[in-house]
């Protein structure tokens, strides 16, 4: 059970995000931290940070460094946990936390953190709707509050409420960065209702060839999507999309670097602009053809 196995380790990445926020608000922060633009008010409903949970840090660095051109900075949390920050040029992309499970099970995944106004209320709402708490809530004095939940359809997502605002919308995403997040739901309508109540979204629905695609909107921006899972064999989860400049090349490179392709680019699906792949440690991600 992912809730029992990952437990409080899910909050290690949140502590790293907290370090970024604190340094960005401090004149003594590092140059990239100090340049991190923060919103005046929390951007409720925005995915503000993404982390990779993996059981092989070195292999993850080789794969993602080769695929996206990322660099890595190994750091230590105030609580003593190891953490790796991901950078692309002068921007932070997210982070990596290594989690080795003694029973050999694979819990590798990409985990997104959603900005909410009140973490405790969000956690209680999730519990009332049949979800579970994966970790927290934990108080980060002078920074904010965090938790991780397993939603009513068992998808895992992080929650964060900052005392200083969130990474704002001034930096446009591009190749090598997170460009979209979407939930593959066992019940798409129920998932839309849940997250709309959780984060105050408005919704825009679009009829597509394979059904309705729900876009979750906050602050006038499309923040994420929800769709019905393609088959019952797919466990509900949040799929993180990364921009690539050349989808065919990135898909080929995925295999050369030890990953595998679950869904190759297909003109009949998303106009051939998307591939779903698995990294060498089992984390699923989407490659998204990206242009200005």
């Amino acid at each position: 059970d992912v809730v029992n196995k990952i437990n409080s380790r899910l909050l290690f990445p949140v502590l790293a995000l907290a370090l970024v926020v604190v340094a960005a608000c401090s004149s003594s922060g590092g140059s990239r931290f100090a340049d991190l633009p923060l919103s005046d008010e929390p951007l409720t409903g925005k995915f503000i940070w993404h982390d990779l949970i993996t059981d092989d840090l070195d292999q993850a660095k080789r794969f993602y460094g080769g695929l996206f051109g990322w660099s890595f900075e190994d750091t230590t949390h105030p609580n003593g946990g190891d953490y790796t920050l991901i950078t692309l040029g002068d921007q932070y992309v997210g982070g990596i936390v290594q989690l080795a499970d003694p029973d050999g099970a694979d819990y590798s995944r990409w985990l997104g953190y959603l900005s909410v106004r009140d973490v405790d209320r969000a956690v209680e709402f999730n519990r009332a709707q049949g979800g579970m708490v994966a970790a927290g809530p934990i108080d980060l004095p002078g920074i904010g509050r965090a938790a991780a939940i397993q939603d009513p359809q068992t998808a895992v997502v992080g929650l964060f409420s900052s005392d200083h605002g969130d990474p704002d919308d001034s930096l446009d995403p591009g190749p090598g960065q997170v460009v979209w997040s979407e939930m593959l739901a066992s019940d798409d309508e129920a998932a839309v209702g849940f997250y709309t109540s959780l984060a105050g979204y408005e919704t825009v629905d679009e009829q597509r060839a394979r059904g309705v695609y729900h876009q979750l909107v906050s602050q006038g921006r499309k923040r994420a999507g929800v769709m019905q899972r393609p088959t019952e064999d797919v466990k509900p989860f949040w799929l993180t999309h990364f921009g690539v400049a050349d989808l065919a090349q990135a898909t080929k490179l995925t295999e050369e670097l030890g990953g595998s392709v679950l869904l190759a680019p297909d003109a009949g699906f998303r106009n051939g602009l998307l591939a779903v792949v698995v990294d060498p440690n089992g984390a699923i991600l989407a490659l998204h053809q990206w242009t200005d």
Side-chain angles (χ1 to χ4, degrees), residues 212-224:
V212 177
Y213 192 85
H214 310 274
Q215 298 178 83
L216 306 180
V217 180
S218 66
Q219 296 88 40
R221 287 179 174 259
K222 296 174 181 177
R223 299 296 189 186

Side-chain angles (χ1 to χ4, degrees), residues 266-290:
D266 185 335
F269 178 69
R270 305 282 177 94
N271 297 318
L273 301 178
L274 187 74
V276 180
V277 303
V278 185
D279 77 13
N281 300 310
I284 301 173
L285 61 147
L287 305 178
H288 195 132
Q289 178 71 52
W290 196 256

Side-chain angles (χ1 to χ4, degrees), residues 47-69:
F47 279 89
I48 56 173
W49 194 255
H50 288 80
D51 285 275
L52 173 66
I53 298 174
T54 183
D55 57 7
D56 190 328
L57 178 60
D58 291 337
Q59 189 174 53
K61 288 180 177 179
R62 287 192 296 271
F63 176 79
Y64 288 101
L67 183 61
F68 296 131

Side-chain angles (χ1 to χ4, degrees), residues 11-290:
L11 293 184
F12 281 10
V14 172
L15 291 174
L17 173 58
L19 292 176
V20 172
V21 172
V22 168
C25 297
S26 169
S27 60
S28 62
S31 59
R32 277 197 299 271
F33 284 139
D35 291 338
L36 180 71
L38 298 177
S39 62
D40 293 331
E41 298 289 338
L43 299 180
T44 304
K46 179 180 180 179
F47 279 89
I48 56 173
W49 194 255
H50 288 80
D51 285 275
L52 173 66
I53 298 174
T54 183
D55 57 7
D56 190 328
L57 178 60
D58 291 337
Q59 189 174 53
K61 288 180 177 179
R62 287 192 296 271
F63 176 79
Y64 288 101
L67 183 61
F68 296 131
W70 289 347
S71 298
F72 307 95
E73 297 179 11
D74 294 328
T75 64
T76 301
H77 292 302
N79 66 356
D82 293 331
Y83 185 75
T84 299
L85 285 163
I86 302 168
T87 61
L88 181 64
D90 62 353
Q91 295 184 26
Y92 283 94
V93 176
I96 307 175
V97 59
Q98 182 166 282
L99 174 65
D101 193 90
D103 65 8
D106 181 10
Y107 298 113
S108 297
R109 67 177 59 231
W110 278 96
L111 179 66
Y113 291 87
L114 183 63
S115 175
V116 296
R117 289 207 172 266
D118 188 319
V119 167
D120 292 83
R121 289 184 64 181
V123 167
E124 288 306 313
F125 174 74
N126 175 62
R127 184 181 285 114
Q129 297 298 309
M132 300 177 65
V133 179
I138 182 173
D139 190 33
L140 306 171
I143 299 169
R145 195 158 170 81
I149 61 171
Q150 189 179 52
D151 75 13
Q153 298 187 35
T154 72
V156 178
V157 65
L159 306 175
F160 187 71
S161 177
S162 171
D163 293 340
H164 300 284
D166 296 321
D168 70 17
D169 295 319
S170 63
L171 298 177
D172 291 328
Q177 298 172 328
V178 175
V179 297
W180 191 244
S181 297
E182 69 183 8
M183 182 185 174
L184 280 68
S186 58
D187 184 334
D188 59 330
E189 295 287 350
V192 169
F194 172 79
Y195 283 99
T196 297
S197 297
L198 184 78
Y201 291 116
E202 298 177 357
T203 58
V204 176
D205 292 346
E206 179 182 344
Q207 184 64 50
R208 297 183 178 178
R210 302 194 181 195
V212 177
Y213 192 85
H214 310 274
Q215 298 178 83
L216 306 180
V217 180
S218 66
Q219 296 88 40
R221 287 179 174 259
K222 296 174 181 177
R223 299 296 189 186
V226 176
M227 62 177 288
Q228 187 72 21
R229 61 184 176 180
T231 71
E232 292 187 0
D233 294 334
V234 176
K235 183 178 179 179
F237 77 108
W238 280 95
L239 176 65
T240 304
H241 293 221
F242 294 88
V244 295
D246 186 323
L247 181 59
Q249 182 181 22
T251 304
K252 179 181 178 182
L253 188 55
T254 294
E255 294 182 310
E256 293 176 354
L257 291 168
S260 58
V261 178
L262 290 180
L263 178 65
D266 185 335
F269 178 69
R270 305 282 177 94
N271 297 318
L273 301 178
L274 187 74
V276 180
V277 303
V278 185
D279 77 13
N281 300 310
I284 301 173
L285 61 147
L287 305 178
H288 195 132
Q289 178 71 52
W290 196 256

